[in-house]
Amino acid sequence: MKKVMSIGLVAVLVFAVVIAGCIGSEGGQTTQTQEITIYTGGTSGVYFPLGSKYAEILSKNGVNAKAVTSGASVANAKAIGDGTAQAAIMQNDVAYYAYHGLYMFEGNKIEKLRGVAALYPETVQFVVRADSDIKSLQDLAGKKVAIGAPGSGTAVAAEQILKAAGVWDSIQKVNQAFSEASQSLKLGQVDAAVIVSGAPTPAVNQIAVQTPVRILPIPDDILNKLKDEGYIFYVRQVLPKDTYNGMTEDTPTVAVKAVLVVSADLPEDVVYQMTKILFDNVAELQKVHAKTQYISLETALDGMSIPLHPGAAKYYEEKGMTIPSELKP
């Protein structure tokens, strides 16, 4: 008798689990079955408020999510790799390096990274004082240049661009982060500072008030050379002349893009919903920060540097968008 009751109980439990799974996935929304942790960045940047608002919107629409602070791009890629995070915001160049096991990810390729959407530009800025006689990247030859913190995405971008300009081996390299580099520029301790951040960048604005600055142009031949060398993540950007005190004309430069990425381990229907919710609520996300105004469906694939998750690809195809072959899952 007890054996019969045990078998019956097991059958009831199995049935309950199956029903719960069906309810959870009805209409393509496997929603509350797992919590999606979104890695962002520091509280003073753009990643954290954007990621927090996105997590809030996801949760309101049936996808259980939370955003947490982090060390930004490099740390975020590693968190996807070890399963600590299921989604993250990061620079598209760092995503490219992580996926292919390059630079700071040499020997630690993170192949489970998948793209969802390109969000907004993070500008590559070669900053000089407005009274400097440095007018072009080639004029940096023999000069002292703050190229970013050791092992940072900024340092890698500086190397790639200055190699394309033919002056990397002739500059005096100084490893300094944004705020330190800006102060060194103000004090005349370096001739130029490389900063990769949304423009206007507070660290540059703070010195430009008293020490006017200019941004060196990055012409088309340099951008084309970078793309020919396989650096597909760079996109064109033009900084308006009123970006910083000291600029007198609009200046062409390049940018990397902040991108939303996920783990390949997430189910297709979940990522489809995440992508749909992102663009259904883009107006709300654009209120978070001035830089988030650039988020749009039209530019969602611009600068995407890793293959898309099948769920994101499905959404874009439904919207009639053509997915480049290198981005197809």
Side-chain angles (χ1 to χ4, degrees), residues 46 48-51 53-54 283-290 292:
V46 182
F48 180 69
L50 174 58
K53 175 56 73 172
Y54 180 51
E284 191 170 351
L285 291 169
Q286 287 174 336
K287 298 175 183 177
V288 168
H289 192 282
T292 60

Side-chain angles (χ1 to χ4, degrees), residues 46 121 123 125 195 197-206 208 215 237 239-240 242-245 247 289-291 293-294:
V46 182
T123 314
Q125 304 166 76
I195 292 176
S197 179
T201 304
V204 180
N205 257 339
Q206 288 169 6
I215 305 298
Q237 189 178 15
L239 289 184
D242 60 354
T243 302
Y244 298 116
N245 179 38
M247 291 179 63
H289 192 282
K291 296 177 184 65
Q293 65 181 302
Y294 293 99

Side-chain angles (χ1 to χ4, degrees), residues 267-315:
E268 179 178 327
D269 57 341
V270 171
V271 178
Y272 173 87
Q273 288 299 323
M274 291 175 68
T275 312
K276 184 177 188 300
I277 290 167
L278 173 72
F279 290 107
D280 282 353
N281 296 273
V282 69
E284 191 170 351
L285 291 169
Q286 287 174 336
K287 298 175 183 177
V288 168
H289 192 282
K291 296 177 184 65
T292 60
Q293 65 181 302
Y294 293 99
I295 300 174
S296 73
L297 181 60
E298 289 70 28
T299 59
L301 300 181
D302 292 353
M304 180 56 70
S305 57
I306 58 175
L308 293 171
H309 191 285
K314 177 182 177 182
Y315 175 81

